[in-house]
Amino acid sequence: MKFNYKLQRLCGAYYGHPTSTANQAGNGNGSNLLYTSDGNTLISSVSNRVQVLDLKTHTVRTLPIEARSNIRCLAMSPDDAMLLVVDSQDYAMLVNFHRGIVLHRIKFKKKTRQCCFSPDGRYLAVTQGKHVQVWYTPNHMRKEFCPLVLHRTYTGQSD
């Protein structure tokens, strides 16, 4: 027998921003929504999984990755190649979005509030309290042992 099951749909809350639900529910669950650069695909977190909703063909697929806890933050690179997923325990996964493969895992030392790629896709900014950490993103031209290398930490910003 051959078993080739793929998870297609999940039951659960699709979205909810941590700052907006924290005031109402008191626990701060939820994540942000993302659109791809063409605007035809919506990316949402459902507890510890990531769902991709194609708005043109009305199909839903679930990425074959799973975070350790509920997802807090999502960030998509400008060329739609990489997806950064950060959960509520501050473990992050850098994922190849098209293939659904985890490229790298990292644990941030402080509570991660937001993350975003630069417009050219070379850098990744992660906010942690009054600090903003800027990381180099993986590049096929630069060979590194660790795909995410810390570029610089900026201090003094506040939420």
Side-chain angles (χ1 to χ4, degrees), residues 32-46:
N32 54 337
L33 293 173
L34 294 176
Y35 287 96
T36 55
S37 59
D38 60 358
N40 295 332
T41 307
L42 176 69
I43 302 162
S44 174
S45 66
V46 179

Side-chain angles (χ1 to χ4, degrees), residues 63-65 81 83 94-104:
L63 293 182
I65 59 168
L83 177 70
L94 189 65
V95 178
N96 182 336
F97 177 67
H98 300 296
R99 300 187 73 194
I101 298 172
V102 177
L103 300 174
H104 185 63

Side-chain angles (χ1 to χ4, degrees), residues 23-136:
N23 296 339
Q24 298 167 359
N27 53 6
N29 295 332
S31 175
N32 54 337
L33 293 173
L34 294 176
Y35 287 96
T36 55
S37 59
D38 60 358
N40 295 332
T41 307
L42 176 69
I43 302 162
S44 174
S45 66
V46 179
S47 72
N48 65 341
R49 304 295 294 257
V50 177
Q51 271 197 336
V52 180
L53 294 96
D54 192 351
L55 301 175
K56 276 194 163 183
T57 61
H58 305 291
T59 58
V60 177
R61 74 178 173 111
T62 303
L63 293 182
I65 59 168
E66 190 172 350
R68 296 179 185 225
S69 60
N70 289 342
I71 294 173
R72 179 183 297 153
C73 180
L74 296 170
M76 175 71 84
S77 65
D79 60 351
D80 298 336
M82 290 184 286
L83 177 70
L84 183 76
V85 178
V86 182
D87 64 6
S88 60
Q89 295 176 350
D90 300 318
Y91 285 96
M93 292 185 295
L94 189 65
V95 178
N96 182 336
F97 177 67
H98 300 296
R99 300 187 73 194
I101 298 172
V102 177
L103 300 174
H104 185 63
R105 295 177 192 267
I106 190 169
K107 166 82 166 106
F108 292 117
K109 294 186 182 351
K110 296 180 183 176
K111 182 178 178 181
T112 303
R113 297 180 187 259
Q114 203 56 254
C115 52
C116 183
F117 281 89
S118 66
D120 62 353
R122 291 181 54 205
Y123 300 102
L124 171 71
V126 177
T127 62
Q128 298 174 341
K130 292 188 176 187
H131 303 287
V132 176
Q133 290 183 340
V134 179
W135 298 78
Y136 287 114

